[in-house]
Amino acid sequence: MGQGGAAAEELVPGVVVDRARFDDVPAIVRLLADDPLGAARESPDEPEVYRRAFEDVDADPNQFLAVLRRGDRVVGTLQLTVVPGLSRRGSARAQVEAVRVHDGERGTGLGTAFLEWAERAARARGAVLVQLTSDRARGDAHRFYERLGYTPSHLGFKKPLD
């Protein structure tokens, strides 16, 4: 999944999903920072940390950093990770992280199309399950994911490693 690339795929008229390029990083960071939770943890004025992170993600064959493009504008992003494992009889699972759609594009069906694309991409890479987490404060996101068939079946835990 890492380098190399799938051809861009049109999801809805005028919007394609594509592999992120380094030039997309500032737009991705703006999407990540465009809400109260993201604004508190992202640092758009520190491009070096994002450059290194992009290089690590892009070089990893189990990662696909996706963007949605409307013309030359990035209007969405997500990171798809295939996680090999022994559980579920040695099955791979896919983790979806950092799903963002520009607020001017929400409510258009684009987010639904994007998650459906992620599910197809995960299946094509051998995953038998797609999992994601969402901050408890994101009630609208929870309703969106549940509407798409995701169930809040697990309780997630996080611990900062400062």
Side-chain angles (χ1 to χ4, degrees), residues 80-149:
L80 178 67
T81 303
V82 173
V83 182
L86 296 179
S87 68
R88 295 181 180 261
R89 300 179 57 181
S91 298
R93 61 184 66 209
Q95 177 76 25
V96 175
E97 291 285 337
V99 178
R100 300 290 191 283
V101 173
H102 188 277
D103 73 358
E105 301 279 348
R106 292 184 198 138
T108 65
L110 187 55
T112 297
F114 203 15
L115 265 289
E116 289 171 348
W117 170 86
E119 292 168 11
R120 288 191 309 276
R123 192 176 294 111
R125 290 163 173 83
V128 301
L129 172 82
V130 175
Q131 59 192 28
L132 55 83
T133 61
S134 181
D135 191 283
R136 289 180 190 258
R138 297 187 189 280
D140 289 343
H142 303 166
R143 286 185 290 280
F144 169 72
Y145 294 132
E146 288 180 25
R147 194 171 69 248
L148 295 179

Side-chain angles (χ1 to χ4, degrees), residues 9 15 40-41 45-46 59 67 73 83 85 92 98 109 112 121-122 150 161:
E9 175 185 334
V15 178
R41 55 184 178 220
D45 57 337
E46 295 181 48
V67 293
R73 289 181 41 235
V83 182
T112 297
Y150 291 82
L161 299 176

Side-chain angles (χ1 to χ4, degrees), residues 6 9 32 45 48 51 56 59 65 84 92 132 137 146 153 160:
E9 175 185 334
L32 296 173
D45 57 337
E48 184 61 23
R51 182 194 60 76
D56 289 345
L65 182 58
L132 55 83
E146 288 180 25
S153 61

